[in-house]
Amino acid sequence: MPEYGYFLSCEEHGPADLVEQARMAEQAGFRSLWISDHYHPWNDAQGESPFVWSVIGALSQAVSLPIETAVTCPTVRIHPAVVAQAAATSAVMTNGRFRLGVGSGEALNEHILGHTWPPADVRLEMLEEAIHVMRRLFTGEEVTHHGTHYTVENARLYTVPDEPVPIDVSGFGPKATELASRVGDGYITMMPEADMVRRFREGGGGTKPVIGGTKVCYGTDRDEAVRTVHRMWFNEYLPGEMGQILPSPRHFEQLQPLVTEEMIAEQGVCGDDVDEHVAALTAFADAGFDTIYVNQIGPDQRGFFDFYRTKVLPQLPGN
């Protein structure tokens, strides 16, 4: 049966608030934490973007829940050898309760050093090589690597966990899902699509964990919740590959008129209808997900955790 975790949004909250939300999540009965890894928020209304590895260090001391990045891009902005060191230290600080979620990234976060943003096929090739480099470093042995995209010379991680850090691979299309099934320790995707889960498992993923998540906006006024989502997270409703190729928050803001409040009211989970919240998470359970994360959009975090602790979590499959 699936487990349920809380998704911490670094785009929307500063470090202290994220740590407090993690405490509330543990008290409410959530079993694990996801945390986003961004350099920028998607738009200025979200307004934050702390360095995820500093926040993970604080979380490791504040709660006992497992933690995973959702997701880190270990290919352009930060070299995979450095990501490996950050992940290994995080695993040590959490006594082995850390998983590294990785993906091929977005230009929004990864282009900031002036590198050309590669096409999708190249990004996946880079991701696979980065995973290979990080796995070698997790052994604690000295690594020298001269590959297509990365060079590592005489690198050794001296602080490593007892077991290598698991690396879960994010995928939203067939090629990325195939990569996840071939090289990942688990699979991450954000839609409750049973076909993608089947593709992962039949492609070599087998019984490895499938992990997903969704965003909701709890509130006693549904119309106000819809407006909150439209103001802060309209980007979730943009079609196609724009999320991967637009370079700055202002470019996303230029596309806000493409998303209407009516679209969000029809497609999103907004308000305080218990059945609506339960149905959204149950859809992931029915599609075969092992761990399901939920994020509350907006400032009413305490109201959300009270609502889920008393009314939603007790009704979910596996709880």
Side-chain angles (χ1 to χ4, degrees):
M1 300 298 285
E3 291 187 349
Y4 301 90
Y6 188 68
F7 189 178
L8 296 165
S9 172
C10 284
E11 302 92 334
E12 198 180 330
H13 302 282
D17 287 340
L18 293 167
V19 172
E20 180 58 26
Q21 288 166 27
R23 292 192 181 102
M24 289 191 288
E26 187 167 37
Q27 293 166 2
F30 287 98
R31 302 287 295 277
S32 54
L33 297 171
W34 248 8
I35 185 166
S36 57
D37 180 359
H38 270 220
Y39 194 89
H40 295 137
W42 296 98
N43 57 72
D44 283 358
Q46 293 171 0
E48 294 282 354
S49 202
F51 188 54
V52 71
W53 302 106
S54 300
V55 179
I56 289 171
L59 293 173
S60 74
Q61 305 305 296
V63 297
S64 61
L65 298 177
I67 302 167
E68 179 167 18
T69 54
V71 293
T72 294
C73 178
T75 60
V76 177
R77 171 170 48 104
I78 304 180
H79 192 284
V82 179
V83 174
Q85 185 183 29
T89 299
S90 297
V92 170
M93 293 187 73
T94 57
N95 295 314
R97 292 178 285 106
F98 178 77
R99 298 180 76 92
L100 178 63
V102 299
S104 59
E106 307 96 9
L108 176 70
N109 304 299
E110 305 305 321
H111 83 291
I112 59 168
L113 302 180
H115 301 297
T116 300
W117 185 236
D121 286 350
V122 176
R123 298 201 305 268
L124 290 174
E125 184 181 278
M126 294 170 72
L127 180 60
E128 182 167 3
E129 186 177 336
I131 291 170
H132 171 73
V133 168
M134 293 189 294
R135 284 222 172 96
R136 289 184 63 192
L137 286 164
F138 289 153
T139 65
E141 299 174 357
E142 183 177 293
V143 173
T144 294
H145 170 88
H146 296 278
T148 303
H149 301 286
Y150 303 107
T151 297
V152 179
E153 291 189 351
N154 308 116
R156 178 185 171 190
L157 297 182
Y158 280 81
T159 300
V160 293
D162 293 336
E163 298 293 333
V165 179
I167 301 176
D168 300 326
V169 178
S170 174
F172 304 105
K175 291 182 179 179
T177 302
E178 186 276 329
L179 177 64
S181 65
R182 184 161 46 81
V183 305
D185 294 308
Y187 174 49
I188 293 172
T189 191
M190 298 298 287
M191 296 297 293
E193 296 180 352
D195 286 346
M196 299 302 286
V197 175
R198 177 185 53 78
R199 183 188 293 268
F200 168 74
R201 297 207 183 283
E202 293 180 356
T207 61
K208 294 176 181 178
V210 175
I211 306 153
T214 190
K215 291 182 178 291
V216 304
C217 188
Y218 162 78
T220 55
D221 183 333
R222 190 175 195 276
D223 291 339
E224 178 60 29
V226 169
R227 287 191 290 271
T228 297
V229 176
H230 186 258
R231 178 172 60 87
M232 303 186 76
W233 283 93
F234 64 88
N235 56 282
E236 289 280 297
Y237 297 83
L238 292 173
E241 296 183 61
M242 286 182 281
Q244 284 73 53
I245 63 175
L246 294 179
S248 74
R250 71 175 179 274
H251 290 98
F252 283 92
E253 290 163 2
Q254 290 168 6
L255 299 181
Q256 187 173 16
L258 296 178
V259 179
T260 66
E261 291 184 7
E262 290 73 20
M263 290 169 58
I264 292 169
E266 291 175 4
Q267 301 175 36
V269 178
C270 300
D272 61 353
D273 185 321
V274 176
D275 291 341
E276 190 176 356
H277 286 261
V278 169
L281 299 187
T282 300
F284 284 89
D286 291 344
F289 283 70
D290 299 291
T291 307
I292 303 154
Y293 290 89
V294 59
N295 169 255
Q296 162 69 357
I297 294 173
D300 191 7
Q301 297 291 319
R302 189 166 297 279
F304 164 87
F305 285 117
D306 288 343
F307 177 65
Y308 266 65
R309 175 178 55 82
T310 59
K311 297 183 178 180
V312 178
L313 288 178
Q315 296 192 45
L316 293 173
N319 270 11

